[in-house]
Amino acid sequence: MKNILGIWVNGRWREDAVADNALLLDYLRDGLGLTGTKQGCDGGECGACTVLVDGEPRLACSTLAHSVAGRRVETVESLASDGNLSRLQRAFHEHLGTQCGFCTPGMLMAAEALLRKNPKPDRAAIRAALAGNLCRCTGYVKIIESVEAAANAGVAA
Amino acid sequence: MLPDFRLARPQSAAAAVALRAENPGSRFIAGGTDLLPNIRRGLASPEVLIDLGGVAELRELRADDDKLRIGAGVTLATIAADVRIQQRLPALAQAALAVAGPTHRAAATLCGNLCLDTRCQYYNQSESWRTGNQFCMKLVGDICRVAPKSARCYAAFSGDVAPALLVLGATVELLGPQGVRRLPLAEFYRDDGMDWLALGKDEMLYAVEVPLADGWLSTYDKIRIRGAVDFPPVGVAIALRREGEALAELRSACTGASSRPELIDGLEPLVGKPLDEAGLALLDKRLLKCTQPMETTVVPVPYRRRVMPVLARKLLRNLWQG
């Protein structure tokens, strides 16, 4: 059964007919074509589907679309503006924080939530914030360095 | 896409319970971090999901003079970050922080963790995996794969918060169409992997009350393979009260090692004197006597039996030495 879902996605209010059993992940990827959010393990174990809901990281594969009605959802597509990478995206690019790229959207969104709350996190805080996100390429060190670099770039700016 | 179901979003607990009573094929959903993956794997197939996310009264968290009342819908992240809980009920804050990863804890709730489905390596698998294995008695099949001659299911309860609340002496409030009833948390659980909760078909877990008694020290820790996300092959909570050089009261509880979180009995001989090696040896013995780890996880039983007392000793020593 479909019902009207009113929701903010990347700063824009939308009203769409969405099935009761649609996950937030299904709605974003299949309904809106926002395929930056990845479907990884499909069971809440890998963090590839991490998006922000009212600024907090949330697993889109373990969230029903209707359960976040009226709230503000942000996906990786919202980070760049006017074709320019965000500070965090640029840091991942420059510090080799991404290899195959599959985990990157989830890593970016989890790190984005961290940096908004804690603009100058130490390594322990970065590790804790990314603890639920798996990467099978980088070995994590480059990812942590990328988040650190983004935080330092923010302070310099 | 998940299998078909209807979603109801009631605004009050009373309306949620009424919906549950009207729809026998329904389930409550709170954070959804356990239930939704289970639905995807075919482990649950509700006709109606009753989303408790819109029920504000379930998110109340307040301290009265001598007790803390935590609504069933309070998230684990909120519990872990609450300064009162960190200071007065550290085992609870530590247990909430030990669940899964940060993103899960922001959505996952107290009631979800206390009512967590029991787990087993023969059950928490995809439909095709379980089909190839001809299922198990917890769903569709007729025998328990970890104990084929047994008449019961040995799936393990793996929630982290329950053992902490057991040693803190918590009480649960259950809401049904007839009103509220209260149970000591220990009576909320049964030692049966298929029927592990003393929760009526039309009841919901409404709130938890934890005594704020002076002088108690408490702690929780779990064994895990990965620093985040993993369910505990074994978890141990300890609470104690010290009077001078003597142990005045002691409670211990385990998770991951039986179909229910086990409050360990028979610890009275440790009380009334300083903690000593004989006392620790008795704790080892009682832990192994009161729990029954089976081949429910890929972590072998002999390791879990050895590591449980090691963890308990470490936690008790640390608490005792302050």
Side-chain angles (χ1 to χ4, degrees):
Chain A
M1 192 166 93
K2 284 190 173 181
N3 281 297
I4 299 296
L5 170 66
I7 189 170
W8 292 92
V9 179
N10 295 339
R12 186 176 152 198
W13 176 254
R14 305 189 56 99
E15 290 177 4
D16 295 304
V18 176
D20 278 9
N21 63 342
L23 294 163
L24 180 57
L25 181 72
D26 301 327
Y27 171 62
L28 292 172
R29 286 181 60 87
D30 303 338
L32 305 186
L34 294 172
T35 53
T37 304
K38 299 297 180 232
Q39 183 171 25
C41 69
D42 225 10
E45 292 171 38
C46 78
C49 65
T50 305
V51 297
L52 303 189
V53 176
D54 291 342
E56 293 287 336
R58 182 96 185 206
L59 296 168
C61 81
S62 303
T63 303
L64 292 172
H66 282 284
S67 72
V68 289
R71 300 174 71 180
R72 291 179 178 273
V73 175
E74 294 169 76
T75 71
V76 71
E77 285 89 349
S78 70
L79 293 184
S81 59
D82 298 331
N84 296 313
L85 296 181
S86 73
R87 192 176 74 207
L88 191 60
Q89 287 173 309
R90 177 158 296 281
F92 268 69
H93 174 61
E94 291 176 351
H95 293 265
L96 308 180
T98 183
Q99 284 187 26
C100 88
F102 194 85
C103 74
T104 307
M107 291 284 182
L108 284 168
M109 297 317 283
E112 174 73 20
L114 170 69
L115 293 182
R116 284 187 198 172
K117 269 191 274 189
N118 179 2
K120 196 74 178 71
D122 59 18
R123 287 211 159 197
I126 297 171
R127 294 177 78 98
L130 300 181
N133 293 70
L134 283 181
C135 171
R136 300 289 78 172
C137 309
T138 66
Y140 301 103
V141 174
K142 293 290 178 192
I143 292 174
I144 292 163
E145 288 174 356
S146 301
V147 179
E148 263 184 332
N152 291 334
V155 170
Chain B
M1 199 63 134
L2 296 175
D4 265 342
F5 52 75
R6 283 187 295 119
L7 184 67
R9 303 201 74 217
Q11 298 299 305
S12 72
V17 169
L19 276 166
R20 178 80 183 91
E22 286 162 21
N23 297 282
S26 64
R27 290 278 299 261
F28 291 121
I29 180 167
T33 54
D34 189 51
L35 182 58
L36 290 174
N38 283 354
I39 290 174
R40 186 182 295 102
R41 286 182 160 187
L43 301 178
S45 40
E47 291 163 20
V48 179
L49 276 187
I50 303 166
D51 181 3
L52 302 177
V55 183
E57 67 199 272
L58 293 178
R59 290 194 292 275
E60 283 178 4
L61 173 59
R62 67 165 196 269
D64 297 336
D65 292 343
D66 57 350
K67 59 179 185 288
L68 183 75
R69 193 166 185 285
I70 314 173
V74 174
T75 66
L76 299 179
T78 302
I79 291 172
D82 189 284
V83 175
R84 288 167 301 186
I85 297 177
Q86 288 170 355
Q87 290 174 349
R88 309 263 337 244
L89 308 167
L92 175 57
Q94 291 161 7
L97 191 63
V99 177
T103 316
H104 301 85
R105 294 192 292 273
T109 61
L110 177 63
C111 62
N113 198 258
L114 290 179
C115 298
L116 192 73
D117 194 2
T118 55
R119 300 180 60 82
C120 180
Q121 59 175 331
Y122 294 93
Y123 171 71
N124 296 93
Q125 299 286 356
S126 66
E127 183 95 34
S128 56
W129 192 102
R130 287 177 291 118
T131 307
N133 205 39
Q134 296 177 326
F135 302 100
C136 73
M137 66 169 21
K138 188 159 159 67
L139 191 66
V140 183
D142 49 13
I143 64 168
C144 175
R145 297 280 161 192
V146 298
K149 290 181 183 164
S150 161
R152 58 161 282 198
C153 158
Y154 279 96
F157 181 83
S158 306
D160 291 294
V161 175
L165 287 175
L166 280 174
V167 299
L168 294 169
T171 306
V172 289
E173 273 182 25
L174 310 178
L175 178 68
Q178 274 74 49
V180 171
R181 68 179 174 119
R182 288 186 173 75
L183 276 183
L185 181 60
E187 293 175 23
F188 185 57
Y189 293 106
R190 298 174 179 148
D191 193 18
D192 182 333
M194 292 170 69
D195 186 18
W196 67 101
L197 296 177
L199 190 65
K201 282 197 184 312
D202 48 6
E203 280 182 320
M204 71 152 74
L205 179 55
Y206 185 64
V208 174
E209 279 188 354
V210 197
L212 293 170
D214 287 330
W216 281 90
L217 304 172
S218 66
T219 188
Y220 173 81
D221 201 4
K222 75 203 253 191
I223 300 297
R224 65 204 307 178
I225 309 303
R226 178 183 167 195
V229 181
D230 279 0
F231 287 96
V234 171
V236 176
I238 306 262
L240 65 81
R241 204 168 54 76
R242 205 178 155 142
E243 278 176 7
E245 285 308 302
L247 191 55
E249 285 182 85
L250 173 67
R251 297 181 198 141
S252 178
C254 276
T255 189
S258 301
S259 291
R260 67 178 171 196
E262 290 285 357
L263 194 57
I264 308 301
D265 62 12
L267 299 178
E268 296 79 9
L270 277 83
V271 165
K273 56 189 181 185
L275 183 65
D276 58 12
E277 183 52 39
L280 289 168
L282 178 69
L283 176 65
D284 293 354
K285 214 171 134 186
R286 293 308 305 163
L287 282 163
L288 294 174
K289 181 82 181 166
C290 295
T291 56
Q292 197 173 11
M294 304 286 279
E295 298 282 355
T296 52
T297 84
V298 292
V299 182
V301 171
Y303 174 75
R304 285 154 71 206
R305 286 180 62 84
R306 284 186 69 179
V307 79
M308 182 168 33
V310 172
L311 176 62
R313 272 174 178 247
K314 187 179 88 176
L315 295 176
L316 177 52
R317 270 212 200 92
N318 288 347
L319 269 192
W320 173 252
Q321 290 164 359

